[in-house]
Amino acid sequence: MDTRSLVWWQWWNVAVVLYLWVWVPMCLSQATPSPQQQGEKLKFRLAGYPRKHNEGRVEIFYKGEWGTICDDDFTLENARVLCRQMGFVGATGWRHSAKYGPGTGKIWLDNVQCSGTEKSIEFCQSRGWGNSDCTHDEDAGVICKDERLPGFIESNIIEMQVDENRLEEIRLRPLLDGTAKRLPITEGIVEVKYKVGWAQICDVGWTSKNSRVICGMMGFPSEKKTKKNLYKQIKMRATKTKPKVIGSSATRMLGDRGQVNYRIHSVACTGNEVHLSVCSMEFSKANVSVPCQGGRPVVVSCVAGPQFSQISGKKPKIKQVTVRLKGGWKVGEGRVEVLKNNEWGTVCDDRWNLQSASVVCRELGFGTAKEALTGARMGQGLGPIHMNEVLCSGQEKSLWNCPFKNITSENCHHLEDASVKCNVPYIGFEKTINITGGVHALRGEWNF
């Protein structure tokens, strides 16, 4: 090859490299249009388990589907942009390799590189929307500063995610005539929202530990046995295409045709979970002829807390109060305060988590905790700080039964007071204005 041909060949190689390096990624990045091009507003959330409310796997809702971000080239600057989009003032760190568990669905972004000043993750450099060579074992997570941006509406949705299934709501559907009108609803068939309808859970292998989790989600501190003889007829109608009408309420429970749509089976909770989504379970396949052989829909009965049992005329048992909530705007939320040596004090937020928060919520007659808040989010308390590094398993009857450390003024300050948001039963008063000192037990300021 002569000198002229050699020079031409070298230039050709350079051109090919430049094409592969510049033009191909640009083309790939346009495989899925960006949200800005689509005129679509992105939604963000923190997911996974275990985690606090201000950390978790990053998930983005785009084109009607939730997806994740790959941890390749991830930086603290990326985390800062994402945390601000989720309403926090900034980020303190990030996690790689699916620290909060692998997600499902699309991996929307890969090789994301932000400067940290972008208003949205969509303005950062990346391979383009929907282009990734990662698996969900590489899902990125973030740890946000526990301080909200002014005016940002909080959200802490715990989604049910198993494979391609995503069940966003769970409810207790009452079975007996008249019970639907009496609030709160403490007993009924467990139903999960699936696509455009509701589905049932097979009760084969169902345990009281599973019921405890369901009751906690519904805002109740504990479960109780159901009247099995009363619900045996459910099995009869569930196995027939055109069932006989045995009871009007029972027929309505199973729908107009009286058929059961089993969606979940083989549920195995430990009883300490704050949501059914973190329990072991299996989803029924569409082609299974008998999805719940020998079983029937799960029915759960819960025990209402003392303050809610007053609605039905029952007098609550009076006991010594050693834990209370202060500073919350709504029923079932507030700064955690404990009584020691006849003096109320607070709890330091070191290692504060959903299990410990749930023990507080159940002790006060609510369900499990929706959020375990840190950083004095419900205001700073006064007086001593009685507890630090509380580590409950979730089975304890009181926060005082959990392992914890005594502290001195050097260990913690009231800027680190722990607080909670509990699941509370639906009582139909969401449009009622609460007035301090109201004559009704469910109106006014709730102090424990």
Side-chain angles (χ1 to χ4, degrees):
M1 181 180 295
D2 56 25
T3 303
R4 187 174 183 180
S5 298
L6 181 61
V7 171
W8 180 87
W9 178 250
Q10 290 174 337
W11 277 107
W12 170 255
N13 287 336
V14 171
V16 170
V17 171
L18 287 173
Y19 174 80
L20 294 174
W21 185 49
V22 178
W23 292 104
V24 170
M26 290 179 62
C27 292
L28 288 174
S29 66
Q30 299 304 315
T32 302
S34 70
Q36 190 178 26
Q37 293 171 327
Q38 294 278 303
E40 183 176 346
K41 186 177 180 180
L42 296 175
K43 296 179 182 179
F44 296 84
R45 70 182 180 194
L46 294 174
Y49 183 86
R51 67 179 182 89
K52 292 183 178 181
H53 67 281
N54 59 321
E55 63 178 305
R57 180 178 61 249
V58 179
E59 297 196 347
I60 307 175
F61 188 76
Y62 175 52
K63 296 183 72 66
E65 184 177 357
W66 285 101
T68 61
I69 299 178
C70 182
D71 61 14
D72 289 351
D73 295 331
F74 207 87
T75 64
L76 183 59
E77 284 71 25
N78 296 357
R80 286 170 180 158
V81 173
L82 289 163
C83 286
R84 285 200 300 271
Q85 285 194 268
M86 287 181 279
F88 297 94
V89 298
T92 60
W94 64 279
R95 294 291 184 265
H96 59 83
S97 304
K99 167 71 174 180
Y100 302 100
T104 59
K106 291 275 191 180
I107 298 177
W108 279 123
L109 292 171
D110 189 8
N111 298 111
V112 180
Q113 296 182 26
C114 304
S115 67
T117 60
E118 294 85 354
K119 292 184 178 180
S120 171
I121 197 72
E122 63 184 294
F123 301 125
C124 301
Q125 295 182 7
S126 70
R127 292 169 60 101
W129 289 86
N131 294 313
S132 173
D133 58 359
C134 299
T135 67
H136 283 296
D137 288 333
E138 301 169 83
D139 284 342
V142 296
I143 303 172
C144 302
K145 290 183 178 179
D146 194 7
E147 182 182 347
R148 287 286 187 180
L149 292 170
F152 192 90
I153 299 175
E154 297 185 34
S155 176
N156 189 46
I157 302 171
I158 304 176
E159 299 285 351
M160 179 176 289
Q161 302 169 29
V162 180
D163 299 326
E164 74 280 2
N165 302 284
R166 189 180 300 277
L167 306 177
E168 299 184 358
E169 295 181 49
I170 299 176
R171 72 181 183 185
L172 280 183
R173 189 173 181 184
L175 308 184
L176 305 179
D177 288 325
T179 55
K181 297 179 181 179
R182 296 197 298 265
L183 298 175
I185 296 171
T186 59
E187 182 173 286
I189 185 171
V190 181
E191 294 188 327
V192 293
K193 190 73 174 290
Y194 177 65
K195 294 184 177 179
V196 295
W198 292 89
Q200 292 77 41
I201 302 175
C202 178
D203 74 345
V204 175
W206 188 265
T207 68
S208 60
K209 293 179 180 179
N210 300 343
S211 297
R212 174 178 165 84
V213 174
I214 294 294
C215 289
M217 294 173 59
M218 298 296 108
F220 303 112
S222 60
E223 77 291 346
K224 64 180 180 180
K225 290 184 179 181
T226 57
K227 301 174 183 178
K228 292 185 178 180
N229 292 333
L230 187 62
Y231 301 117
K232 281 184 178 179
Q233 55 186 332
I234 300 174
K235 181 179 178 182
M236 296 168 54
R237 290 188 297 279
T239 56
K240 296 181 180 181
T241 305
K242 295 182 179 180
K244 295 180 180 180
V245 177
I246 300 176
S248 59
S249 62
T251 302
R252 287 195 299 272
M253 174 202 71
L254 297 174
D256 296 335
R257 296 183 180 180
Q259 295 177 335
V260 177
N261 175 25
Y262 289 110
R263 187 62 189 159
I264 299 174
H265 63 92
S266 304
V267 179
C269 303
T270 66
N272 298 328
E273 295 87 353
V274 297
H275 197 279
L276 189 66
S277 63
V278 296
C279 298
S280 171
M281 70 187 74
E282 295 182 24
F283 280 76
S284 301
K285 296 180 180 179
N287 58 354
V288 177
S289 57
V290 186
C292 185
Q293 189 169 8
R296 55 182 178 266
V298 166
V299 176
V300 166
S301 183
C302 306
V303 178
Q307 62 273 47
F308 299 102
S309 63
Q310 293 182 50
I311 300 173
S312 59
K314 296 180 181 179
K315 293 183 179 180
K317 295 181 180 179
I318 299 175
K319 63 178 183 178
Q320 183 181 7
V321 177
T322 58
V323 178
R324 68 183 184 184
L325 299 182
K326 287 288 186 178
W329 287 8
K330 300 178 182 178
V331 173
E333 67 176 42
R335 178 179 62 255
V336 179
E337 294 190 353
V338 293
L339 183 64
K340 182 180 180 182
N341 297 329
N342 294 320
E343 187 176 15
W344 287 99
T346 61
V347 177
C348 189
D349 63 12
D350 291 349
R351 306 186 75 174
W352 186 246
N353 59 23
L354 284 170
Q355 276 63 47
S356 299
S358 292
V359 170
V360 170
C361 291
R362 290 185 188 272
E363 182 177 359
L364 296 177
F366 304 113
T368 45
K370 291 189 292 186
E371 288 190 67
L373 305 176
T374 57
R377 288 274 296 284
M378 294 291 178
Q380 297 181 41
L382 300 172
I385 301 174
H386 288 319
M387 291 178 158
N388 187 25
E389 295 191 27
V390 182
L391 288 175
C392 302
S393 67
Q395 289 289 349
E396 295 85 356
K397 296 295 184 181
S398 171
L399 193 68
W400 285 108
N401 300 136
C402 302
F404 67 92
K405 291 183 179 180
N406 294 311
I407 64 171
T408 63
S409 59
E410 289 76 23
N411 298 126
C412 269
H413 301 86
H414 284 298
L415 285 171
E416 303 168 82
D417 283 343
S419 51
V420 299
K421 287 186 178 181
C422 306
N423 285 312
V424 298
Y426 175 71
I427 53 178
F429 289 164
E430 68 275 9
K431 295 182 180 180
T432 300
I433 298 175
N434 293 333
I435 304 175
T436 299
V439 295
H440 195 287
L442 296 181
R443 301 186 188 185
E445 183 179 4
W446 289 55
N447 296 322
F448 301 93

